[in-house]
Amino acid sequence: MCGRYVSTRRPQDLVDLFDVTRWDPDQALAPSWNVAPTDHVWSVLERVERDTGEITRQLRPLRWGLVPSWAKSLNTGAKMINARVETVAEKPAYRRAFAKRRCLLPADGFYEWQAVAATDTAKARKQPYFISPEDSQVMALAGLYEFWRDPDVSDDHAPGAWWTTCTIITTEATDAAGRVHPRMPLAIAPADWSTWLDPAHHEPGELRGLLAAPAAGHLDARAVSTAVNNVRNNGPQLLDSAADGLAGT
């Protein structure tokens, strides 16, 4: 799974990188070295404008943890931060979004945890690792998004009436990520961004074919401070290397 990641790029940098044509500068998100479920995260998506019929590429904040339109509570999203690529096109919670509402979630890298067995002098624990592209380029994680209407808010236009939420598609892990955890997020290569985001593109097989390992599998994994385990901790110090190395390396 992917349960935490890092996203520190400035919105203007993301606008330029992803050729965004619509962005509200008043919608600001602070850089985060410890993005956690239910946080708001930057996304890149394409929508058809109702007034003009024009397709615009947008940079928008979404709440991480997908809430299907038929869900009874916003809390559903906390359990749906990831969608498995093996079943994403068939599962009721994800299949409509996979067909029509796909997005990119920019990330500097992601965290995974490796179990460390107990010894005579220490208890069993989980060591966090930061996994990122070897060239430090941004990762465009493959995501889905959904709209959810809160039934407890009577006015359609009131704050909190509508929520837009997202999930990250994952697969079996390989290379550096696979030595830490059996699952990892999928990404979309720059040449395929337009096809992935196109709301008119619906063919599941072709869409699956666009999914790839982040950075084409050229990933670095290093042990970092256990401070990342606490979602209240944030800042670049979370990426400082720990003394532990990768098992088997």
Side-chain angles (χ1 to χ4, degrees):
M1 65 176 293
C2 176
R4 303 278 183 83
Y5 68 95
V6 176
S7 180
T8 64
R9 259 71 170 190
R10 298 184 311 130
Q12 186 57 59
D13 292 337
L14 296 176
V15 166
D16 295 340
L17 177 63
F18 290 96
D19 295 324
V20 167
T21 57
R22 180 176 171 183
W23 166 55
D24 182 357
D26 292 333
Q27 292 183 314
L29 294 178
S32 179
W33 288 262
N34 201 0
V35 178
T38 74
D39 285 351
H40 279 79
V41 300
W42 284 124
S43 73
V44 178
L45 53 87
E46 292 188 353
R47 298 288 296 170
V48 178
E49 300 290 342
R50 291 184 179 180
D51 296 339
T52 64
E54 177 188 7
I55 295 178
T56 58
R57 183 171 295 184
Q58 306 175 14
L59 181 71
R60 295 177 57 169
L62 305 181
R63 188 179 191 265
W64 186 18
L66 189 136
V67 182
S69 59
W70 41 260
K72 295 182 179 180
S73 169
L74 185 65
N75 295 333
T76 301
K79 302 176 183 179
M80 302 180 68
I81 61 171
N82 293 158
R84 296 174 69 94
V85 68
E86 297 88 347
T87 57
V88 68
E90 292 81 32
K91 275 203 168 185
Y94 304 119
R95 63 189 179 197
R96 290 182 63 189
F98 186 68
K100 299 180 179 181
R101 287 179 286 277
R102 298 174 299 276
C103 62
L104 301 172
L105 302 173
D108 303 352
F110 59 96
Y111 297 104
E112 291 295 0
W113 282 256
Q114 184 181 65
V116 178
T119 66
D120 293 339
T121 58
K123 296 181 179 179
R125 61 188 177 86
K126 288 189 175 182
Q127 172 62 49
Y129 288 82
F130 178 61
I131 301 170
S132 60
E134 292 175 350
D135 59 5
S136 300
Q137 294 298 306
V138 69
M139 295 190 297
L141 301 183
L144 311 176
Y145 69 98
E146 269 291 4
F147 297 102
W148 183 75
R149 175 69 168 84
D150 189 340
D152 294 330
V153 180
S154 58
D155 184 352
D156 234 19
H157 303 288
W162 287 94
W163 292 81
T164 314
T165 63
C166 62
T167 190
I168 295 172
I169 300 176
T170 66
T171 189
E172 291 186 3
T174 58
D175 302 324
R179 298 197 297 273
V180 177
H181 191 275
R183 302 290 297 181
M184 66 182 292
L186 283 163
I188 305 296
D192 297 322
W193 288 349
S194 293
T195 304
W196 176 255
L197 295 175
D198 184 356
H201 199 98
H202 305 307
E203 212 291 312
E206 293 180 6
L207 292 170
R208 277 202 184 98
L210 304 177
L211 298 163
H218 298 291
L219 298 169
D220 172 71
R222 70 175 187 273
V224 294
S225 169
T226 55
V228 72
N229 296 353
N230 188 330
V231 297
R232 291 187 291 273
N233 293 332
N234 213 316
Q237 71 278 3
L238 296 182
L239 300 185
D240 291 345
S241 296
D244 304 78
L246 269 174
T249 62

